[in-house]
Amino acid sequence: NAGVTQTPKFRVLKTGQSMTLLCAQDMNHEYMYWYRQDPGMGLRLIHYSVGEGTTAKGEVPDGYNVSRLKKQNFLLGLESAAPSQTSVYFCASWGLDLEQYFGPGTRLTVT
Amino acid sequence: DQQVKQNSPSLSVQEGRISILNCDYTNSMFDYFLWYKKYPAEGPTFLISISSIKDKNEDGRFTVFLNKSAKHLSLHIVPSQPGDSAVYFCAASASRDDKIIFGKGTRLHILP
């Protein structure tokens, strides 16, 4: 039982490049989330999903897209990276109990 | 418009004493409240949660109190230990199908 895993752990992109962050969970959780953490801003929700095939916008969705084709995976895409997207990205999942589990994070730098 | 507020950026507490972290919210529709602990370079770790039908939930050294009329919740850690030094986030959600909103965090320092 690996919990929530994220790949990659680190990435450097040039402005305008695209990439996909992968989140996987093996707890059969319905709910999954993508957050970004910036200094002094806490955790801000980008997008979330309440089940396979569904996605919804969070607080800061602009510049990101997501997909939840399989229950265990939640993908976060950046189509054209910008320096403002330099951040640490966390994925989380939430099961039938009230416990939410986070992945270890992906540190993204956009130059 | 910040819906979940942690007004103390940092807090220092002597080892062995009680740590009290506070959180205020503005949305009366919030139904679930969660507390997390975060060490540098790691993902947040879930600590304890409470639903709006309760006013207290206890798990070992951690107790969360919810005051719905004041739209306030607090996390009590007793006794405080050195390993409790971390950033603590409060979060809230209106329903299981809604987004979870986080506060900006409070950095807790446990002093020897």
Side-chain angles (χ1 to χ4, degrees):
Chain A
N1 188 338
V4 179
T5 57
Q6 291 181 232
T7 52
K9 288 188 168 47
F10 303 93
R11 186 73 186 267
V12 178
L13 286 181
K14 293 192 170 148
T15 297
Q17 286 185 318
S18 64
M19 78 163 293
T20 300
L21 282 69
L22 170 64
C23 176
Q25 52 96 2
D26 60 3
M27 296 171 282
N28 203 34
H29 286 172
E30 291 291 341
Y31 304 85
M32 296 187 75
Y33 309 82
W34 275 108
Y35 296 91
R36 59 178 287 174
Q37 185 187 20
D38 303 291
M41 301 296 289
L43 286 155
R44 292 183 293 169
L45 182 65
I46 304 170
H47 286 279
Y48 65 107
S49 168
V50 301
E52 181 179 317
T54 73
T55 63
K57 292 181 180 180
E59 302 168 85
V60 289
D62 294 342
Y64 304 95
N65 56 76
V66 287
S67 64
R68 184 97 182 268
L69 298 179
K70 291 183 180 180
K71 188 176 184 179
Q72 64 267 34
N73 296 336
F74 194 28
L75 278 65
L76 178 71
L78 286 74
E79 288 186 353
S80 179
S84 61
Q85 292 177 306
T86 293
S87 187
V88 181
Y89 292 85
F90 290 102
C91 174
S93 71
W94 196 10
L96 292 176
D97 54 23
L98 287 187
E99 297 196 23
Q100 192 189 35
Y101 298 88
F102 278 79
T106 295
R107 187 172 294 274
L108 175 67
T109 302
V110 183
T111 61
Chain B
D1 177 30
Q2 219 181 324
Q3 296 187 64
V4 178
K5 300 177 186 177
Q6 294 178 257
N7 292 319
S8 299
S10 68
L11 175 68
S12 294
V13 174
Q14 207 76 35
E15 182 180 352
R17 299 283 187 102
I18 182 172
S19 295
I20 300 176
L21 296 111
N22 293 305
C23 178
D24 297 297
Y25 61 94
T26 58
N27 188 342
S28 57
M29 300 300 291
F30 283 148
D31 216 23
Y32 294 96
F33 303 89
L34 307 96
W35 282 97
Y36 299 82
K37 173 178 169 179
K38 186 181 181 305
Y39 294 119
E42 292 183 12
T45 303
F46 170 82
L47 279 175
I48 192 168
S49 63
I50 189 167
S51 70
S52 62
I53 61 173
K54 293 186 173 184
D55 53 20
K56 177 183 173 181
N57 189 24
E58 197 170 347
D59 184 2
R61 295 187 299 116
F62 302 95
T63 304
V64 56
F65 294 92
L66 176 62
N67 182 334
K68 288 186 286 293
S69 60
K71 294 193 181 69
H72 177 82
L73 65 155
S74 60
L75 174 69
H76 292 211
I77 307 173
V78 183
S80 300
Q81 298 175 354
D84 295 331
S85 293
V87 176
Y88 288 79
F89 290 100
C90 167
S93 176
S95 75
R96 292 300 304 273
D97 293 335
D98 202 355
K99 47 189 171 251
I100 300 174
I101 304 297
F102 279 72
K104 292 188 177 181
T106 296
R107 185 175 297 279
L108 176 65
H109 299 272
I110 303 302
L111 306 170

